[in-house]
Amino acid sequence: MSKLLIVGTVAFDAIETPFGKTDKILGGAATYIGLSSSHFEIDSAIVSIVGEDFPEAHLNLLTSHGINIDGIEIVTGGKTFFWSGKYHNDLNTRDTLETQLNVLADFNPVVPEAYRDAEFVMLGNLHPMVQLSVLEQVKSPKLVVLDTMNFWMDNAWDDLLNVISKVDVITINDEEARQLTGEHSLVKAARKIYAMGPKYVVIKKGEHGALLFNKEKMFFAPALPLEDVFDPTGAGDTFAGGFTGYLAQSGDITFENMKNAVIYGSGMASFCVEKFGTERMEVLKESEINSRMLEFKSLTQFDIELSANKAL
Amino acid sequence: MSKLLIVGTVAFDAIETPFGKTDKILGGAATYIGLSSSHFEIDSAIVSIVGEDFPEAHLNLLTSHGINIDGIEIVTGGKTFFWSGKYHNDLNTRDTLETQLNVLADFNPVVPEAYRDAEFVMLGNLHPMVQLSVLEQVKSPKLVVLDTMNFWMDNAWDDLLNVISKVDVITINDEEARQLTGEHSLVKAARKIYAMGPKYVVIKKGEHGALLFNKEKMFFAPALPLEDVFDPTGAGDTFAGGFTGYLAQSGDITFENMKNAVIYGSGMASFCVEKFGTERMEVLKESEINSRMLEFKSLTQFDIELSANKAL
C-alpha cells in the first residue's frame, strides 16, 4: 500500500453562501485532501498544526477515515488557523472576511519518521517555505503534487518559484495560471509552467472542469453539472485529494492513468460542493462514488466512427 | 441522402478583435451553418435574402460547397444585412457597433418546392416569425433544430415562445438559457426549457464547451483548448451546422447519436475561430476534420475500471 503524505492547513472556517451561513466549522486544505483521498486504498498521513482550541472530535474524524495524524502538532495555549469568507451570488467568486494565522504563523513542519519514505506527496496550499521544508524531509518520492494560490504569487514569489521547480505536478486554477505566466491561453500558460519545473499541469476551472497537460498532450475532465452548488469551499482541495489518492492507490503515474485521476478528482469535488464545509465528505459512501464515476462516463464518453464524415 | 433545410442570415460582417479588423466580409448565420454542414453527405439548401450589392463570388462559394441557393432571394436595388461588432480582450464578450437590417426588414421566406420535404430543418438565428414561416412550409420534418439569441427574448418574446414550442432541439448559449428560464443552474434551465417544447436542449458555453440535455440524461462536449482564438464570430452557427449536418447524414436522432453530433459541432467550431470570419471554413479539408475528431477523443476518453476504488 502506497504512502501519501499530505501537508496543508487543518483549520476552522466560517462560510457564507447565498444558501446560508456557518459558525466556525472544520476546514483546511489538508482536511479536505485527507477526507477525499481516504476513499482509496492508501496509507495517508497529514502534517499540519492546530491550537489547543481544536476539538478532539475533529481529529477523531480524520483518524476514523484511516488518516494518520501523528504529524499534526497541537500547540498548547495556541489558537487554530481561522478563515472566514463570503461567496457572491454566482458562487464563482468570494471575499475573504477574516484570516487569523494564529499557530500557523510559526509552523515548522515535522514529517513523522514513518512517512519520510512516502512515495506520494501532496503539498496542499500553504506558504511555499513550509511546502519546501516538508519536501526536504521526504527521501525519494515517486510523485510530488503541489497546490497553491494567487496569495503566494503576491506575497512569496521567489519561494513559490523555488518550490514549483521541485515538483512533478502542479494544480492551480485558471486565473492563477494566467497570473503565474502572463498568458491568457491556458495552452500557452501550461507550456510556460513546464519551463518552471512541473512536467504535469492541472488547471482547475471550477464549474467548467479541469484540464491536464503534459508536453503536447491534453485531457479534459468536466465538472458534473449540478442542480445546486451549495458551498464551493474545499472543492479544489477535494479535487487534489481524489487525484493523488487515486494515483497513490494505483501506483501508475503515466499520463493515461492521470486522465483517470483527474476524473476522480472532479468526481470527488462534485460531492464536496453539495453541502456546507466537510459535511458531505464526512459521510460519503463508496457506492456513491462508483455511481458518480458512471455518471462521468455517460457524461463524456462517445463513440464516433471516424468514417462518419466524408473523409474516409 | 437526407435534405437539410437551413434558414438564417446571409450577410456582411465587419469585425474587430484584439488581433485585427476586417472590412465588410461574408457573414451570417446561414452562411456559417451551410459551410459547416457541407462537410457531411447531405443535400442542403439555404433560405435567405440578400441585396443587389451581394457579390456573386460569395454565392458561388456556397454553391461550390454543394449548397443549394435557390431559396436565397436577391432583391434588386436592395442592400444586404450588415452587422459590425468589436470583441473585448477576452473574446468572450462583444459590443455591436452597427446593425443595418436592410433587405432583412421585409423578408418573407419562400422554401423552394424541392426542399419542402426536407427531413432536417435548421432554424438559424433570425426573427422567430421568419423561423416559424419556414417551418410552416415544410411538410413533416424528422427533426427541427432552433438557434436563437437574447435579442429576440428582449424584442419578440411571444413569437419566440411560439416557435420554441414547435421544435425538437434548441441550441442556446448559457447566459441566454438563464435569461430564458430565470434559472442560474443549467440543469434546472434545461428542465424548464423542456416544458416549453423542445425535447433536447443544447447549451453552448463558448470556450467552456457545450452541454446536451434530454430528460434526465446529460452529455458534455468540451471546446478544444486552443493556443489562440482569433475571431469567435460564427462559432455558434458553425457548431449548429456540424450538429445538424452530422445528424442529417446519419439519419439517427437518438440521444446516443446526438452525443456524436455535439462533438462534431464542437470540432467544427474549433476551426471557425482560428481565422477571421469564414476564412478557415472556406478551405477546411476532410482530413483536418478527422484529425480533430481524434484530438477530441484523446481529450475526453478515459478508461476507469470501476473496481478502482474501495467500493467493489
Side-chain angles (χ1 to χ4, degrees):
Chain A
M1 203 148 65
S2 291
K3 289 176 184 172
L4 171 63
L5 180 68
I6 300 160
V7 62
T9 50
V10 172
F12 290 129
D13 287 344
I15 302 159
E16 191 173 341
T17 83
F19 305 103
K21 200 176 160 170
T22 71
D23 288 328
K24 274 188 182 184
I25 59 170
L26 173 62
T31 303
Y32 284 101
I33 295 166
L35 289 175
S36 179
S37 60
S38 75
H39 291 278
F40 298 90
E41 294 282 2
I42 56 170
D43 175 3
S44 67
I46 289 176
V47 171
S48 193
I49 190 167
V50 295
E52 204 178 343
D53 57 347
F54 197 71
E56 209 175 325
H58 287 349
L59 294 171
N60 291 343
L61 175 75
L62 297 175
T63 52
S64 76
H65 278 79
I67 304 163
N68 181 297
I69 60 165
D70 293 348
I72 302 184
E73 184 186 345
I74 302 168
V75 181
T76 312
K79 284 184 74 185
T80 301
F81 174 67
F82 171 69
W83 173 82
S84 86
K86 182 178 174 171
Y87 288 86
H88 299 167
N89 273 338
D90 65 0
L91 292 172
N92 286 328
T93 49
R94 68 185 186 191
D95 294 326
T96 289
L97 301 178
E98 196 178 350
T99 305
Q100 295 176 10
L101 278 183
N102 296 333
V103 293
L104 205 63
D106 303 299
F107 179 32
N108 287 306
V110 179
V111 176
E113 195 57 46
Y115 289 90
R116 298 199 174 192
D117 61 352
E119 297 90 348
F120 291 83
V121 180
M122 176 68 228
L123 304 174
N125 179 41
L126 257 183
H127 196 295
M129 291 288 276
V130 173
Q131 294 175 317
L132 205 61
S133 165
V134 165
L135 194 52
E136 283 166 352
Q137 295 173 58
V138 182
K139 282 168 199 156
S140 55
K142 185 170 176 175
L143 192 79
V144 179
V145 182
L146 173 82
D147 189 55
T148 190
M149 67 183 293
N150 52 357
F151 182 82
W152 309 114
M153 296 177 204
D154 298 332
N155 295 289
W157 179 256
D158 291 342
D159 294 331
L160 180 61
L161 287 190
N162 190 11
V163 69
I164 287 176
S165 75
K166 293 181 165 56
V167 306
D168 304 297
V169 186
I170 186 171
T171 70
I172 189 170
N173 82 27
D174 46 358
E175 285 316 311
E176 290 160 355
R178 288 175 174 135
Q179 183 177 344
L180 185 63
T181 62
E183 292 287 351
H184 182 78
S185 157
L186 300 178
V187 177
K188 288 183 178 173
R191 199 173 297 147
K192 279 206 178 169
I193 295 172
Y194 301 148
M196 299 176 181
K199 290 183 291 294
Y200 300 91
V201 176
V202 177
I203 298 181
K204 300 174 287 183
K205 304 200 297 170
E207 62 168 322
H208 299 302
L211 282 159
L212 166 68
F213 294 93
N214 168 236
K215 292 182 193 142
E216 295 307 307
K217 288 178 287 196
M218 282 190 294
F219 181 70
F220 179 77
L224 191 71
L226 295 167
E227 288 206 30
D228 293 302
V229 169
F230 207 73
D231 170 20
T233 308
D237 303 313
T238 301
F239 176 95
F243 178 78
T244 49
Y246 173 79
L247 289 177
Q249 175 184 271
S250 66
D252 175 353
I253 58 170
T254 61
F255 183 77
E256 282 306 307
N257 198 48
M258 278 196 198
K259 292 180 174 184
N260 295 342
V262 291
I263 293 286
Y264 266 103
S266 196
M268 300 306 277
S270 73
F271 288 114
C272 179
V273 302
E274 289 180 346
K275 302 238 173 175
F276 266 119
T278 58
E279 209 179 317
R280 186 70 180 89
M281 300 310 289
E282 290 181 23
V283 297
L284 182 61
K285 292 195 190 82
E286 312 310 327
S287 58
E288 294 173 312
I289 299 173
N290 267 357
S291 300
R292 190 138 299 183
M293 287 301 108
L294 286 173
E295 286 186 69
F296 272 85
K297 279 203 169 186
S298 69
L299 183 67
T300 58
Q301 304 302 286
F302 59 88
D303 192 20
I304 287 180
E305 291 172 34
L306 284 179
S307 56
N309 69 26
K310 286 181 183 173
L312 296 180
Chain B
M1 200 148 68
S2 291
K3 289 178 184 169
L4 171 64
L5 180 68
I6 300 161
V7 62
T9 50
V10 171
F12 290 129
D13 287 345
I15 303 159
E16 191 174 340
T17 82
F19 305 104
K21 201 175 161 170
T22 71
D23 289 327
K24 274 189 182 182
I25 58 170
L26 173 63
T31 304
Y32 284 102
I33 295 166
L35 289 176
S36 179
S37 60
S38 75
H39 291 278
F40 299 90
E41 294 281 1
I42 57 170
D43 175 2
S44 66
I46 290 177
V47 171
S48 193
I49 190 167
V50 296
E52 204 178 341
D53 57 345
F54 198 70
E56 208 176 324
H58 288 347
L59 294 172
N60 291 342
L61 176 75
L62 297 175
T63 52
S64 76
H65 278 79
I67 304 164
N68 181 297
I69 60 165
D70 294 347
I72 302 184
E73 183 186 346
I74 303 169
V75 180
T76 312
K79 286 184 73 184
T80 301
F81 174 66
F82 171 69
W83 173 83
S84 87
K86 183 179 173 170
Y87 287 86
H88 300 165
N89 273 337
D90 66 0
L91 293 173
N92 286 328
T93 49
R94 69 185 184 190
D95 294 326
T96 289
L97 301 178
E98 196 179 349
T99 305
Q100 296 176 10
L101 278 184
N102 298 333
V103 293
L104 206 63
D106 303 298
F107 180 30
N108 287 306
V110 178
V111 176
E113 194 57 47
Y115 289 91
R116 296 199 176 190
D117 62 352
E119 297 90 347
F120 291 82
V121 179
M122 176 69 228
L123 304 173
N125 179 41
L126 258 184
H127 196 297
M129 291 287 277
V130 173
Q131 295 176 318
L132 204 62
S133 164
V134 166
L135 194 52
E136 282 166 353
Q137 296 173 57
V138 182
K139 283 168 198 153
S140 55
K142 186 168 175 177
L143 192 79
V144 179
V145 181
L146 173 83
D147 190 54
T148 190
M149 66 182 294
N150 52 358
F151 182 82
W152 309 115
M153 297 178 203
D154 298 332
N155 296 289
W157 179 256
D158 290 342
D159 294 331
L160 181 61
L161 287 190
N162 190 10
V163 68
I164 288 177
S165 75
K166 293 179 166 56
V167 306
D168 304 297
V169 185
I170 185 171
T171 70
I172 190 170
N173 82 27
D174 46 357
E175 285 317 312
E176 289 160 356
R178 287 173 175 136
Q179 183 178 343
L180 185 64
T181 61
E183 292 288 349
H184 181 79
S185 157
L186 300 178
V187 178
K188 288 183 177 172
R191 200 172 296 147
K192 279 206 178 169
I193 295 172
Y194 301 149
M196 298 176 183
K199 292 183 290 294
Y200 300 91
V201 177
V202 177
I203 298 181
K204 300 173 287 183
K205 304 200 297 169
E207 62 168 324
H208 300 302
L211 282 159
L212 166 69
F213 293 93
N214 167 236
K215 292 182 191 143
E216 296 307 307
K217 288 180 287 198
M218 281 190 294
F219 180 70
F220 179 77
L224 192 71
L226 295 168
E227 288 204 30
D228 293 301
V229 170
F230 207 72
D231 171 19
T233 307
D237 302 312
T238 301
F239 176 95
F243 178 77
T244 50
Y246 174 79
L247 290 177
Q249 175 184 270
S250 66
D252 174 353
I253 58 170
T254 60
F255 183 78
E256 282 306 307
N257 198 48
M258 278 196 198
K259 292 181 176 185
N260 295 343
V262 292
I263 294 286
Y264 266 102
S266 195
M268 300 307 276
S270 74
F271 288 113
C272 179
V273 302
E274 289 180 346
K275 303 240 173 173
F276 265 118
T278 57
E279 208 178 319
R280 187 70 180 90
M281 301 310 289
E282 291 181 24
V283 298
L284 181 61
K285 293 197 191 78
E286 313 309 327
S287 58
E288 294 173 314
I289 299 172
N290 267 356
S291 299
R292 190 138 300 179
M293 288 301 107
L294 286 172
E295 285 186 70
F296 273 86
K297 278 202 168 185
S298 71
L299 182 67
T300 58
Q301 304 303 285
F302 60 88
D303 192 20
I304 287 180
E305 291 173 35
L306 283 179
S307 56
N309 69 27
K310 285 181 182 175
L312 296 180

